[in-house]
Amino acid sequence: YAASKDLLCMYLNNNENSQLFTGKSLRLGGSKELYKENGTAFGDLSAILIDNMPFWAEFSSTPSNKVSLMSNWEHKMQAIVNETINENVTSLAGVPSWMLVLLNNVLETTGKNSLFDVWPNLEVYFHGGVSFTPYKDQYKKILPKKDFRYYEIYNASEGFFAIQDQNNSSELLLMLD
């Protein structure tokens, strides 16, 4: 949670005219389903984080926790599309591979060519989990604005290790705490 706050503070410091909080963050997390093996319970970190966020955090996020934490991917995908296409989405957050599938489903469902036709106030995508490089060109096709921002997070199950702290640099700031 501290890393998320740090990321938002760095982003807002770099983008004084941001309208981030005038809309919602479309977050894409995993399933809430917990697995048990050898006396240990484990599950998807993103889902555990979403499930344990303070109640007020859901007001600035989409889809709802109920939809975010669904376990059946196909049902979840359509539920997310249905719940988010009429929201004022100003940011995206999630793993590039999964998010790309979702965003292409949004375009297919709405019949639009650009995500800015669906969410005109969209300004940033916070991504991590896998390298963004293989997906960059595909994102630029569906997000065709030169000033659209991509902010990388170096996260893993063990924690958040580094955060992009500048608009025009892909360098990451090591989070020492």
Side-chain angles (χ1 to χ4, degrees):
Y1 297 117
S4 297
K5 290 176 189 173
D6 288 343
L7 176 64
L8 286 174
C9 288
M10 286 179 208
Y11 177 78
L12 293 171
N13 185 61
N14 292 333
N15 301 283
E16 294 176 0
N17 296 323
S18 171
Q19 296 297 304
L20 193 67
F21 294 120
T22 63
K24 294 187 175 187
S25 177
L26 192 163
R27 61 189 179 185
L28 183 58
S31 165
K32 184 179 173 181
E33 185 175 345
L34 290 178
Y35 304 93
K36 295 184 183 202
E37 189 174 297
N38 298 326
T40 305
F42 57 94
D44 191 307
L45 178 60
S46 60
I48 293 168
L49 288 171
I50 289 170
D51 196 33
N52 288 286
M53 291 178 92
F55 76 93
W56 51 263
E58 191 171 356
F59 297 125
S60 63
S61 302
T62 190
S64 63
N65 285 5
K66 179 181 177 184
V67 170
S68 288
L69 301 172
M70 291 172 70
S71 56
N72 181 300
W73 176 251
E74 297 301 321
H75 291 122
K76 177 179 183 167
M77 180 66 59
Q78 195 56 52
I80 292 172
V81 170
N82 293 342
E83 199 170 291
T84 61
I85 58 175
N86 294 314
E87 293 282 0
N88 178 25
V89 174
T90 55
S91 67
L92 306 171
V95 175
S97 52
W98 296 355
M99 183 63 76
L100 189 60
V101 171
L102 171 64
L103 297 177
N104 282 321
N105 270 301
V106 166
L107 292 174
E108 185 178 315
T109 299
T110 61
K112 307 289 184 182
N113 294 319
S114 163
L115 289 169
F116 300 117
D117 294 332
V118 181
W119 302 306
N121 300 314
L122 188 59
E123 67 178 71
V124 63
Y125 173 32
F126 300 106
H127 60 84
V130 299
S131 172
F132 188 63
T133 304
Y135 304 97
K136 193 170 193 167
D137 289 339
Q138 293 175 74
Y139 274 91
K140 288 189 180 223
K141 284 181 185 172
I142 61 175
L143 294 163
K145 266 190 192 173
K146 289 191 184 267
D147 64 344
F148 186 77
R149 295 175 197 93
Y150 298 90
Y151 264 61
E152 185 169 1
I153 307 162
Y154 185 154
N155 58 317
S157 298
E158 296 81 12
F160 283 80
F161 295 101
I163 296 172
Q164 181 177 337
D165 66 331
Q166 300 174 44
N167 282 343
N168 299 314
S169 174
S170 59
E171 296 174 346
L172 300 177
L173 177 67
L174 182 62
M175 304 306 289
L176 297 175
D177 62 348

